[in-house]
Amino acid sequence: MKIHYPCDRARPRLRSIATLTLAMILAAAGTVRSQPLQIAPGFPEPLTMSGVSGGPNNSGDCGFVAPGPNHVIEVTQDLPHWRIAVQTAGAPSLMIQGPRGRFCVLPANAAAGTVEFSGYGDRGTYTIFVGDRAQGQHPYSLSISQKRVVSPKINTFSHYTLRF
């Protein structure tokens, strides 16, 4: 014979309330994460963020990406120059959707773990997906800077031997 007490009925209800509360907290944390990062000329740099590359969605030309953007950036004033760089393992790609359309950036070297996008930054909202062409998932570091990277100078001077 089992005796039921009035407090026994509250326990399942408390579990439901606790589960619902936890779900609401996790949903709110996801909402905070997806709030756009606002930047304008003169932002403190480099801005760095991290996450996990790849995801289940095949973007077609830019590898596999997450169902939603890894980062959302709102450029509040035109940027004369900005550079977005991602360092990760695997076969990274960078898909950026912004005011001038969609861009897919692949590494210069298939074995490279670095992908970079640079140029003029129009005012507007940019959604950034850090993908993986091999359907892998890897931790990544993303940095945003306004500094131009100067490539090493190519010596165009040729050596000539003069014979008399």
Side-chain angles (χ1 to χ4, degrees), residues 5-6 10 17-18 25 35 58 68 73-74 83 85 114 116-117 121 124 127-128 150:
Y5 296 98
I17 291 171
I25 289 169
Q35 293 296 318
N58 186 349
I73 298 172
E74 185 179 335
R83 182 174 150 269
T114 302
E116 293 184 10
F117 170 84
T127 55
I128 299 175
V150 179

Side-chain angles (χ1 to χ4, degrees), residues 70-136:
N70 297 86
H71 305 282
V72 178
I73 298 172
E74 185 179 335
V75 176
T76 58
Q77 296 176 25
D78 290 351
L79 296 170
H81 181 82
W82 69 331
R83 182 174 150 269
I84 301 170
V86 174
Q87 178 69 42
T88 186
S93 65
L94 186 59
M95 187 170 74
I96 301 172
Q97 296 173 339
R100 290 192 182 220
R102 178 183 175 273
F103 298 93
C104 177
V105 184
L106 302 173
N109 175 341
T114 302
V115 181
E116 293 184 10
F117 170 84
S118 64
Y120 186 83
D122 288 310
R123 191 175 120 194
T125 302
Y126 294 80
T127 55
I128 299 175
F129 294 82
V130 180
D132 191 274
R133 297 180 325 279
Q135 207 170 0

Side-chain angles (χ1 to χ4, degrees), residues 150-154:
V150 179
S151 37
K153 290 184 178 182
I154 298 172

